[in-house]
Amino acid sequence: MKHVKQFFNLKNFDIENIVKELYNPLSLGVLSIPNFIDAEFRNQLISEISKCPFVEGPKVYLNARQDLEYFVISETDKESNYLGLSAKQFSQVFLLRESYDALYKIIAKEAQFQGNAQINYVIVQRYRAGSIGIEQHLDESKYINLTSIFIIDENL
């Protein structure tokens, strides 16, 4: 938890409300927390992410059309293009994962998530201006409990 307050604006981060919304059957399954990432940290992330070795994403994935480039940061996924990535070179990206993991564990405990309460997959996606982005879709079953999305920069 050492970086959490430094990198995240916790003013609107209400664990009780997050858990309530996760299990609300009338909810869309989406909860937005505006300005969650500290502005200075966001700027550092933008700088680093612009240097990530993105690869072209498939045009169709799980029956959804998409137009994106992506970069995987996952120690457990065989498709990861993170291997060999320098934690020093991309320190802010690693700090985002580490810091959010601390919050995720708190949410997982309160929400009584199934299985191991840890982040299992991190992907950075970049959508080109004017692209379709990604169509409505259902994520794979390996992505259980909570999918968290951070919009770092709408112009990246």
Side-chain angles (χ1 to χ4, degrees):
M1 288 282 285
K2 67 180 183 177
H3 300 296
V4 171
K5 289 183 180 175
Q6 181 181 352
F7 300 136
F8 299 128
N9 175 1
L10 300 178
K11 185 175 78 173
N12 297 322
F13 191 83
D14 180 349
I15 298 283
E16 196 173 294
N17 186 52
I18 291 169
V19 171
K20 182 179 157 188
E21 285 300 311
L22 284 172
Y23 293 108
N24 180 355
L26 303 176
S27 168
L28 293 173
V30 176
L31 179 66
S32 178
I33 304 172
N35 303 309
F36 181 60
I37 298 176
D38 172 76
E40 184 179 334
F41 185 43
R42 177 186 307 275
N43 289 334
Q44 293 169 350
L45 282 166
I46 290 168
S47 176
E48 279 191 5
I49 288 171
S50 68
K51 300 170 191 164
C52 285
F54 286 90
V55 296
E56 187 75 24
K59 295 298 180 193
V60 177
Y61 185 71
L62 299 175
N63 297 320
R65 290 183 316 137
Q66 60 183 17
D67 183 12
L68 58 86
E69 297 174 314
Y70 70 97
F71 176 73
V72 177
I73 304 169
S74 174
E75 293 91 349
T76 59
D77 197 289
K78 293 176 184 160
E79 297 175 36
S80 179
N81 49 342
Y82 137 91
L83 298 173
L85 179 71
S86 162
K88 185 176 180 182
Q89 184 182 10
F90 293 97
S91 61
Q92 302 309 302
V93 174
F94 281 87
L95 279 173
L96 173 65
R97 179 188 176 127
E98 178 185 297
S99 300
Y100 185 66
D101 190 51
L103 290 176
Y104 184 87
K105 284 179 176 22
I106 295 169
I107 296 168
K109 183 178 178 182
E110 286 294 315
Q112 300 176 356
F113 285 169
Q114 303 172 31
N116 197 354
Q118 70 179 31
I119 296 173
N120 62 354
Y121 195 79
V122 177
I123 184 168
V124 177
Q125 295 176 329
R126 179 168 59 189
Y127 301 94
R128 289 177 271 297
S131 79
I132 63 165
I134 186 167
E135 293 180 329
Q136 183 178 3
H137 64 284
L138 184 62
D139 287 330
E140 294 177 65
S141 61
K142 68 180 178 180
Y143 307 122
I144 62 167
N145 298 322
L146 178 65
T147 299
S148 303
I149 299 171
F150 298 93
I151 298 173
I152 307 298
D153 182 15
E154 68 272 10
N155 300 311
L156 189 61

